[in-house]
């Protein structure tokens, strides 16, 4: 039997990270800074890789895809949060809420799949170096990334289609800073057993699958490294995957620290902290992790900055009538 307060919801209200007015300006500055760092930092990595022929390898192909996904991942939630803070509005249309949920789960899951694919790449490079070019051909790399996009889109599409069929109660306040799957299910007046079973099934496949792939890859990598006779060789082999291991530790460490704890009155705040860390903070750190620990990336970034500076210098030398303040013909 359906409750009497059932109604058609046209929009939801996002309660955000904090409802205290004195926190809003601080949150706006913090989020805007992180977002600019995320977009500019990851764009620089993509441009550096695309313009340097030495970086046209599988490893950097996967890294450029990860940078692109990080930009989209952060763009799913941060711009809306910034608009809400600036306009003092918390409303999001029903269709926009579903789109945000779709995008967040798509890019969040795609992040974990790309980390798994990058672990496979390191495994082949260290364990099978002589067969690397054959095993990680451009076709194989394309299939790995394309297959990941296909599977993650399928997951998000299923969740969104099932959510769109639900009816929602009069209460439309979401205790989160974006439209997440579980908070939305709690607002529904419909029977959500099917949705919860689908969430559980996809959570097992999409969560354990990439993580298992990463763990198994690193077990093989560590075994191969220990077979290297010299200490210098061991350190060199291990340091090559240090950046990836750092990102994996941050990503999954945050998830484990929050979601493996028992439910409590502060679970909602922990969910917000985990989503903020994975969807906003970590994407802003990735450019620094991958560029500061990688000599090839640092060299490519220096070349890119040098080209931009050289082009700007040439443009200033050539000049133009409007730049010099002179209008030809007058």
């Amino acid at each position: 039997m359906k409750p009497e307060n059932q109604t058609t919801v046209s929009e939801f209200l996002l309660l955000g990270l904090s409802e205290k007015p004195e926190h809003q300006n601080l949150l706006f500055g913090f989020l805007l800074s992180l977002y600019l760092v995320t977009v500019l930092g990851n764009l620089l990595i993509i441009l550096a890789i695309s313009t340097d022929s030495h970086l046209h390898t599988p490893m950097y192909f996967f890294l450029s895809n990860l940078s692109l996904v990080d930009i989209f991942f952060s763009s799913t939630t941060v711009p809306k949060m910034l608009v809400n803070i600036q306009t003092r509005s918390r409303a999001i249309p029903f269709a926009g809420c579903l789109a945000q949920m779709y995008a967040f789960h798509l890019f969040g899951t795609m992040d974990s799949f790309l980390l798994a694919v990058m672990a496979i790449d390191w495994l082949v490079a260290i364990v099978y170096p002589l067969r690397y070019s054959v095993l990680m051909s451009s076709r194989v790399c394309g299939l790995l990334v394309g297959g990941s996009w296909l599977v993650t889109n399928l997951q998000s599409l299923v969740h969104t289609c099932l959510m769109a069929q639900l009816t929602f109660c009069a209460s439309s306040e979401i205790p989160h800073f974006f439209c997440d799957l579980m908070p939305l299910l709690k607002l529904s007046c419909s029977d959500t057993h099917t949705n919860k079973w689908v969430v559980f099934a996809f959570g097992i496949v999409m969560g354990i699958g990439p993580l298992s792939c990463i763990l198994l890859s690193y077990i093989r990598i560590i075994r191969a490294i220990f077979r290297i006779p010299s200490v210098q060789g061991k350190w060199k082999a291990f340091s090559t995957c240090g950046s990836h291991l750092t990102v994996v530790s941050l990503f999954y460490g945050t998830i484990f620290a929050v979601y493996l704890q028992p439910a409590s009155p502060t679970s909602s705040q922990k969910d917000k902290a985990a989503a903020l860390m994975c969807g906003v903070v970590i994407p802003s750190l990735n450019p620094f992790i991958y560029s500061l620990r990688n000599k090839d990336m640092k060299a490519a970034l220096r070349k890119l900055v040098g080209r931009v500076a050289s082009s700007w210098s040439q443009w200033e030398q050539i000049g133009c009538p409007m730049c010099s303040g002179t209008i030809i013909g007058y």
Side-chain angles (χ1 to χ4, degrees):
M1 190 172 180
K2 297 180 181 179
E4 294 181 0
N5 66 340
Q6 181 175 306
T7 185
T8 302
V9 175
S10 60
E11 65 179 20
F12 293 99
L13 298 177
L14 297 170
L15 298 186
L17 290 169
S18 173
E19 297 182 63
K20 296 181 180 179
E22 62 270 21
H23 292 167
Q24 301 310 305
N25 288 335
L26 183 63
L27 279 174
F28 184 87
F30 173 71
L31 293 170
L32 180 60
S33 301
L34 282 182
Y35 185 62
L36 290 175
V37 168
T38 300
V39 173
L40 295 176
N42 284 291
L43 275 178
L44 276 176
I45 284 184
I46 293 170
L47 287 172
I49 292 172
S50 62
T51 56
D52 193 330
S53 58
H54 294 95
L55 300 184
H56 293 175
T57 62
M59 179 180 76
Y60 294 106
F61 170 70
F62 297 137
L63 178 56
S64 61
N65 274 273
L66 181 66
S67 295
L68 184 64
V69 168
D70 280 342
I71 292 174
F72 290 145
F73 195 17
S74 186
S75 299
T76 299
T77 56
V78 178
K80 179 60 179 173
M81 281 195 285
L82 293 175
V83 170
N84 285 1
I85 292 172
Q86 197 67 17
T87 60
R88 301 291 192 269
S89 170
R90 299 180 297 174
I92 182 171
F94 181 74
C97 194
L98 291 182
Q100 192 179 57
M101 186 193 76
Y102 180 98
F104 187 86
H105 285 275
L106 167 63
F107 298 122
T109 311
M110 190 63 193
D111 242 3
S112 64
F113 268 69
L114 282 174
L115 290 175
V117 168
M118 293 171 79
I120 294 173
D121 181 58
W122 285 117
L123 168 65
V124 176
I126 293 174
V127 180
Y128 307 106
L130 298 180
R131 300 172 58 194
Y132 180 79
S133 59
V134 176
L135 295 175
M136 298 303 295
S137 64
S138 56
R139 181 174 178 274
V140 172
C141 293
L143 286 173
L144 286 171
V145 173
S148 298
W149 278 110
L150 181 64
V151 173
T152 52
N153 267 287
L154 176 63
Q155 174 205 226
S156 295
L157 184 62
V158 170
H159 284 321
T160 306
C161 289
L162 289 174
M163 186 67 69
Q165 295 175 15
L166 299 181
T167 306
F168 292 88
C169 302
S171 175
S172 60
E173 289 188 344
I174 301 175
H176 216 311
F177 60 85
F178 72 100
C179 291
D180 200 5
L181 188 60
M182 295 311 294
L184 278 173
L185 289 178
K186 291 177 182 178
L187 295 179
S188 176
C189 297
S190 306
D191 182 4
T192 58
H193 281 92
T194 301
N195 300 68
K196 290 176 180 177
W197 274 110
V198 171
V199 170
F200 178 77
F202 272 121
I204 294 294
V205 176
M206 301 296 193
I208 295 180
L211 179 59
S212 299
C213 184
I214 292 170
L215 291 176
L216 291 173
S217 296
Y218 270 102
I219 289 172
R220 292 289 307 278
I221 288 170
I222 291 170
R223 287 174 59 187
I225 289 174
F226 276 120
R227 292 196 193 102
I228 299 174
S230 67
V231 176
Q232 185 178 1
K234 289 178 181 178
W235 174 250
K236 184 178 179 180
F238 187 75
S239 64
T240 56
C241 49
S243 299
H244 178 261
L245 194 55
T246 302
V247 174
V248 169
S249 301
L250 283 172
F251 187 83
Y252 282 102
T254 301
I255 294 173
F256 291 153
V258 175
Y259 292 113
L260 291 186
Q261 294 184 15
S264 67
T266 60
S267 292
S268 176
Q269 295 300 321
K270 291 177 181 178
D271 290 348
K272 289 182 186 180
L276 184 69
M277 186 71 180
C278 292
V280 181
V281 177
I282 294 178
S284 71
L285 296 177
N286 284 354
F288 297 101
I289 294 171
Y290 280 105
S291 60
L292 294 178
R293 295 178 59 92
N294 190 305
K295 293 180 180 178
D296 293 334
M297 272 304 308
K298 285 192 283 188
L301 287 169
R302 280 195 294 267
K303 287 180 184 177
L304 179 63
V305 172
R307 283 197 209 98
V308 172
S310 176
S311 299
W312 178 259
S313 177
Q314 290 176 7
W315 185 79
E316 283 187 325
Q317 289 176 7
I318 295 171
C320 64
M322 292 183 66
C323 300
S324 61
T326 303
I327 304 178
I328 297 174
Y330 284 82

